[in-house]
Amino acid sequence: MLDTVRRLGFLQLDPISSVAPPQHLVLWSRLGTAYARGELDRLLWEEKKLVEWRAFVYPMEDLPLLRARMRTVRTTAGTEYLRANASFRRYVLRELERRGPLLSREIETHSTRRNADRHDWWGARQMGLMLEVLAARGLVAVVGRRQGQRVWDIAERWYPADTEKLSWRDAEAVIAEKRWRALGVKLERGRLLVHPEANADPVPATRTTFLSPFDRLIHDRARTEALWGFRYRLEMYVPKAEREYGYYVLPILRGDRIVGRIEPVWNRTTQELTVNGTWWEDGQKPLSLAKPLRDLTRWLASS
């Protein structure tokens, strides 16, 4: 699993889980029923071989690259907010220093913020906003989760000591190279560019799986269309009457081809997987999806 995350570069976190949260569904797509959700938590919170930052999970060895980004954030995003809320900032850092790790709700609301104006995005949840700003700057870190809720602490207590300090210019170049290598092929100014070290390892032609909408293979929708002629859009926020397919539709990968799309929905109460619809690409004969659906059901039920 760790090798898979390293090859991908990162996993995107998202609470939407009509089937399963995307970070888990991405790993199931590649590893099948051998993947257990607890493995991700173990690598994150026990072995610390992965790190969570700003709703993404990265290999811990990429922390110097992330820290370079954090240093640029300290001079840009959130500066005015922190200046206007200096005492609130000191309070949050002091509470975490003294009592952390803590859930956000375990940090008592700062007395001067109780009647604060609502933020455009965060509403009255000023504690959440402050923690996000501090995390972006590398001052606090997510150090665990309880029932899906993030646990926070002072970053210097969680992150390993700096062994390498990179400028953002150098880090940005490394990140771009790593992402190109992970993708193998990138779309740039209308051209598909193949990484010089991309290989052509054989793909099991008969394996069929379903892809998360957040999967690196298809997350760049323009690249997906250029590579496979597969036009894919996530229609969660499209009014139901205007959807072309469905609310949370997953591409169907057969070998090295995207052959269709499917909308499975997992009922956590009844432990049942239902399929709202299946759509095949033009010229593609319908395939039996019994095995991947059976595997998905077994994995979801055991998670």
Side-chain angles (χ1 to χ4, degrees):
M1 196 197 88
L2 181 59
D3 184 55
T4 299
V5 178
R6 283 170 170 159
R7 288 202 315 270
L8 292 171
F10 57 81
L11 297 173
Q12 184 171 348
L13 305 177
D14 194 90
I16 299 294
S17 56
S18 294
V19 181
Q23 64 271 25
H24 296 298
L25 191 56
V26 165
L27 292 170
W28 171 82
S29 296
R30 286 159 173 77
L31 304 175
T33 53
Y35 167 63
R37 293 195 196 190
E39 290 296 288
L40 184 60
D41 287 344
R42 178 177 60 81
L43 290 173
L44 273 165
W45 317 125
E46 296 177 26
E47 298 188 16
K48 295 177 68 172
K49 292 181 178 178
L50 298 174
V51 60
E52 178 180 332
W53 186 61
R54 302 190 82 178
F56 289 87
V57 170
Y58 301 90
M60 183 61 82
E61 59 264 28
D62 283 355
L63 186 59
L65 302 175
L66 302 180
R67 278 183 156 147
R69 181 59 178 146
M70 293 172 189
R71 288 191 289 272
T72 69
V73 172
R74 290 176 195 173
T75 62
T76 55
T79 302
E80 185 57 39
Y81 173 78
L82 291 179
R83 185 180 296 119
N85 296 274
S87 63
F88 184 29
R89 170 185 176 276
R90 289 193 297 271
Y91 168 78
V92 171
L93 291 174
R94 186 171 63 247
E95 288 295 287
L96 287 174
E97 178 70 38
R98 185 170 63 90
R99 300 193 296 119
L102 298 169
L103 296 167
S104 63
R105 66 172 178 267
E106 293 173 330
I107 309 172
E108 295 179 5
T109 303
H110 193 244
S111 59
T112 62
R113 302 298 303 168
R114 286 178 181 168
N115 298 316
D117 294 336
R118 293 178 61 85
H119 188 271
D120 289 346
W121 283 94
W122 292 84
R125 295 178 295 133
Q126 293 292 328
M127 184 63 71
L129 175 57
M130 178 58 73
L131 288 168
E132 289 288 345
V133 171
L134 294 176
R137 291 168 166 245
L139 298 175
V140 304
V142 180
V143 303
R145 285 182 180 262
R146 295 186 213 153
Q147 289 78 50
Q149 300 299 306
R150 289 174 294 182
V151 180
W152 301 88
D153 202 357
I154 298 296
E156 65 183 19
R157 282 204 293 241
W158 182 252
Y159 294 151
D162 256 329
T163 56
E164 180 181 14
K165 182 169 285 190
L166 298 173
S167 69
W168 173 237
R169 175 177 292 183
D170 290 342
E172 193 173 27
V174 174
I175 290 169
E177 163 64 18
K178 286 170 68 72
R179 290 187 175 177
W180 187 14
R181 181 188 297 269
L183 291 171
V185 179
K186 69 177 179 178
L187 181 65
E188 187 173 282
R189 298 178 182 177
R191 296 189 304 151
L192 287 170
L193 303 179
V194 181
H195 192 278
E197 297 179 19
N199 58 43
D201 290 341
V203 176
T206 58
R207 182 170 187 261
T208 302
T209 191
F210 311 131
L211 301 176
S212 163
F214 297 86
D215 197 295
R216 298 282 328 267
L217 191 65
I218 58 163
H219 83 291
D220 184 332
R221 309 306 193 211
R223 171 181 175 273
T224 300
E225 192 165 357
L227 273 175
W228 289 288
F230 183 79
R231 186 178 183 277
Y232 179 62
R233 300 292 183 271
L234 189 55
E235 298 182 291
M236 285 190 305
Y237 304 113
V238 175
K240 186 174 182 179
E242 299 176 20
R243 289 175 192 153
E244 187 177 3
Y245 297 103
Y247 174 79
Y248 201 76
V249 172
L250 312 181
I252 303 171
L253 183 69
R254 171 80 167 180
D256 61 358
R257 295 288 184 270
I258 298 177
V259 297
R261 57 197 90 204
I262 187 171
E263 187 181 16
V265 179
W266 175 245
N267 188 313
R268 289 160 187 76
T269 302
T270 65
Q271 297 282 283
E272 293 178 327
L273 185 70
T274 58
V275 176
N276 289 344
T278 305
W279 302 266
W280 301 102
E281 288 295 276
D282 291 342
Q284 175 64 49
K285 293 181 180 180
L287 303 169
S288 173
L289 299 177
K291 185 180 187 307
L293 285 170
R294 187 168 59 248
D295 289 347
L296 181 57
T297 301
R298 186 165 64 249
W299 174 69
L300 289 168
S302 66
S303 298

